[in-house]
Amino acid sequence: NSPFHNPLQKIMTITSSAFSNNGSIPKKYTCDGDNINPSLQISGVPVGAKSLALIMDDPDAPASVFVHWVLWNVNPNTTAIASKSVPAGAIEGMTNFGKPGYGGPCPHVGTHHYVFKLYALDTLLNISSSTLKAGLETAMEGHILGRAELIGLYKR
């Protein structure tokens, strides 16, 4: 137990009603199904957050980490991102599929981990929708108030 932990401060979490942490992502959310984003639930956003950002990537891709979804300027009061939707006012950036928006798991071989990383930021980001994950990470530097993670697995 850290002496700096404030028991009154909630821990930010991201969960999904579609799968548990380290559980299997249902086919409908993959390239083998409807290729739509799963519902995500958010809680414990730190006080003072001005926006949320989300990165979904696959660290198990053969060449390098494969980016499936980047999203920013999500209202910090958001408690859920519904399946097949983007929160009003949020901006989707470019993925490794070469277009903005969600691209579901689509591994060539083996079981892959898909990491949904949620960030609470102390600012709104003024970056273009052509921004890639690296640009989003650069823009977030020095602005992160909290972070949460959800991992889903998928094997074709």
Side-chain angles (χ1 to χ4, degrees), residues 69-146:
W69 200 19
V70 286
L71 183 66
W72 62 87
N73 289 354
V74 176
N75 185 312
N77 297 322
T78 300
T79 57
I81 297 173
S83 178
K84 198 180 175 182
S85 76
V86 174
I91 299 169
E92 291 180 297
M94 296 298 284
T95 67
N96 284 131
F97 291 109
K99 60 185 186 193
Y102 177 84
C106 202
H108 292 293
V109 88
T111 300
H112 285 224
H113 296 76
Y114 296 89
V115 186
F116 293 80
K117 294 176 274 200
L118 180 70
Y119 301 89
L121 308 176
D122 66 2
T123 188
L124 282 165
L125 299 176
N126 185 16
I127 53 177
S128 154
S129 60
S130 63
T131 299
L132 303 166
K133 172 186 159 184
L136 173 57
E137 288 174 334
T138 298
M140 290 192 304
E141 279 177 22
H143 296 287
I144 298 172
L145 299 175

